[in-house]
Amino acid sequence: MSNIDRGQKKIAKDKGSAIRADLLVQGTNDFSIVSKRSVEKLYFPALNEAEPVNGEYFHHFVSKEQRRSPAINRGYWIRMNSIKNCIDSIIKNENAAINTIINLGCGYDPLPFQILDNKFKFLRNGKPGMKFLCIDIDYPELIENKVKMIKDSAELMEIVGEIDHSCKIPGVQLKTDNYAAVGCNLRDIGLFQEQLTLLGLYELNTTSIFIAEVSLAYMLPEHCNPIIQETSKFPKSHFVVLEQLLPTADNYHPFGRTMLHHFKRLSTPLKCVESYSTISHQLQRFQQLGFPI
């Protein structure tokens, strides 16, 4: 075998490994969305007895429901409400007429439909007349599946409104006046910039809220940090990040070792946590990437 043949074989093997790793990361969405549906089914009916603030949207994206353990339900309840409360706080402080919410590594999360559905007051600080533009971004294959599920639901289609069939933006698989589903491997910073530019997001006089809910955590810092840096260029830009941390600045703590081993065993290792293991490290990271702290 020649050196050229060996080189081509290695390239093919590396490409195959990268594709497999991407598929495993996409698979984390399946566990997450089923867990969130468990929370929605158990908790939301009781919470709505006092005030109808939560509709049920996760069932559109879950084919086989499972009731999770109390510990998992409570953990996901905290996770879901942490994201919601951060968005609410930003909206209250900015009090902008237009708010753009971009979910990076969105999976099947129905956050846009929760925000856009006028039948429920999902955001406490949303005011009459406020406009919301919600954008989902994830792997193209995952977005393709999500769009099929959205189109199969009359309820969700009513929320997002009429489809703009004239949209020719690369990777945009569904676009309406208030919603866009965008297929993009976030390691492709060039495509990411092009898509946001063609969507007109750099030009909008809006509050921009970027969300990364345990999505950038699976990317190497050299791949995800350019994404964070790019989002800092938006006027009135905010970044809501939910990632794992370590109890100490090293991975020798028993809990930290167990957590890292768990994700490695699933073949979805956390690739940022050892570089940014504490809140202090995360604050320094975002400050260095353009966000004022």
Side-chain angles (χ1 to χ4, degrees):
M1 181 181 293
S2 69
N3 289 335
I4 294 176
D5 291 337
R6 291 191 185 92
Q8 290 175 338
K9 187 175 181 179
K10 184 179 185 302
I11 291 171
K13 183 178 179 181
D14 291 345
K15 185 177 180 180
S17 297
I19 292 172
R20 180 176 179 273
D22 286 346
L23 290 173
L24 288 168
V25 170
Q26 291 179 54
T28 63
N29 164 73
D30 298 337
F31 183 91
S32 173
I33 206 70
V34 170
S35 299
K36 290 182 176 182
R37 171 56 181 160
S38 177
V39 170
E40 178 183 66
K41 190 173 183 179
L42 288 173
Y43 294 179
F44 284 16
L47 293 169
N48 282 343
E49 289 179 1
E51 182 183 4
V53 295
N54 295 294
E56 293 194 14
Y57 307 92
F58 287 91
H59 67 92
H60 294 289
F61 304 98
V62 176
S63 58
K64 186 177 180 181
E65 298 183 5
Q66 298 179 36
R67 180 165 177 158
R68 298 300 197 200
S69 68
I72 291 177
N73 281 327
R74 290 166 188 161
Y76 270 90
W77 166 254
I78 293 170
R79 175 169 160 174
M80 294 160 68
N81 276 273
S82 295
I83 298 293
K84 174 183 174 180
N85 290 338
C86 284
I87 297 172
D88 234 339
S89 176
I90 294 167
I91 288 172
K92 179 180 180 180
N93 292 334
E94 291 288 357
N95 195 28
I98 305 175
N99 301 274
T100 304
I101 299 172
I102 305 100
N103 197 350
L104 305 171
C106 60
Y108 294 157
D109 200 287
L111 180 64
F113 315 108
Q114 294 172 302
I115 292 171
L116 295 171
D117 192 349
N118 294 323
K119 296 191 295 291
F120 298 93
K121 191 173 175 58
F122 178 71
L123 296 175
R124 296 188 306 273
N125 296 313
K127 298 179 182 178
M130 274 188 176
K131 182 179 179 180
F132 291 92
L133 170 61
C134 296
I135 298 175
D136 280 338
I137 302 180
D138 212 318
Y139 290 102
E141 302 85 0
L142 191 149
I143 288 293
E144 182 180 357
N145 291 335
K146 186 171 189 177
V147 167
K148 288 178 182 176
M149 296 176 195
I150 295 170
K151 289 181 175 179
D152 285 342
S153 168
E155 179 186 359
L156 298 183
M157 286 305 302
E158 181 181 357
I159 292 172
V160 299
E162 186 176 350
I163 297 175
D164 178 6
H165 293 287
S166 66
C167 178
K168 303 298 182 184
I169 300 172
V172 174
Q173 301 189 30
L174 177 65
K175 185 179 182 299
T176 70
D177 285 343
N178 58 17
Y179 176 71
V182 182
C184 178
N185 186 324
L186 290 174
R187 292 197 298 272
D188 190 343
I189 183 66
L191 177 59
F192 179 71
Q193 291 169 325
E194 180 185 6
Q195 290 169 329
L196 298 190
T197 299
L198 293 175
L199 284 167
L201 300 189
Y202 291 94
E203 302 168 7
L204 289 176
N205 183 20
T206 175
T207 293
S208 298
I209 305 173
F210 292 88
I211 301 168
E213 183 186 346
V214 196
S215 54
L216 302 186
Y218 297 112
M219 298 171 64
L220 292 168
E222 55 262 37
H223 293 143
C224 60
N225 283 352
I227 294 290
I228 298 173
Q229 189 168 35
E230 187 64 29
T231 62
S232 72
K233 299 175 183 178
F234 286 72
K236 298 181 182 178
S237 182
H238 301 262
F239 205 108
V240 178
V241 61
L242 192 151
E243 286 188 7
Q244 293 85 349
L245 298 174
L246 295 175
T248 59
D250 55 56
N251 58 4
Y252 296 107
H253 189 281
F255 177 86
R257 289 203 308 271
T258 301
M259 181 182 72
L260 293 173
H261 174 72
H262 167 75
F263 284 97
K264 188 175 182 179
R265 182 173 56 83
L266 296 175
S267 298
T268 54
L270 301 174
K271 297 180 178 178
C272 277
V273 69
E274 293 185 63
S275 297
Y276 308 105
S277 56
T278 66
I279 292 177
S280 175
H281 291 154
Q282 286 282 9
L283 290 173
Q284 292 173 15
R285 174 195 195 185
F286 275 81
Q287 190 171 26
Q288 291 169 356
L289 295 171
F291 281 93
I293 302 299

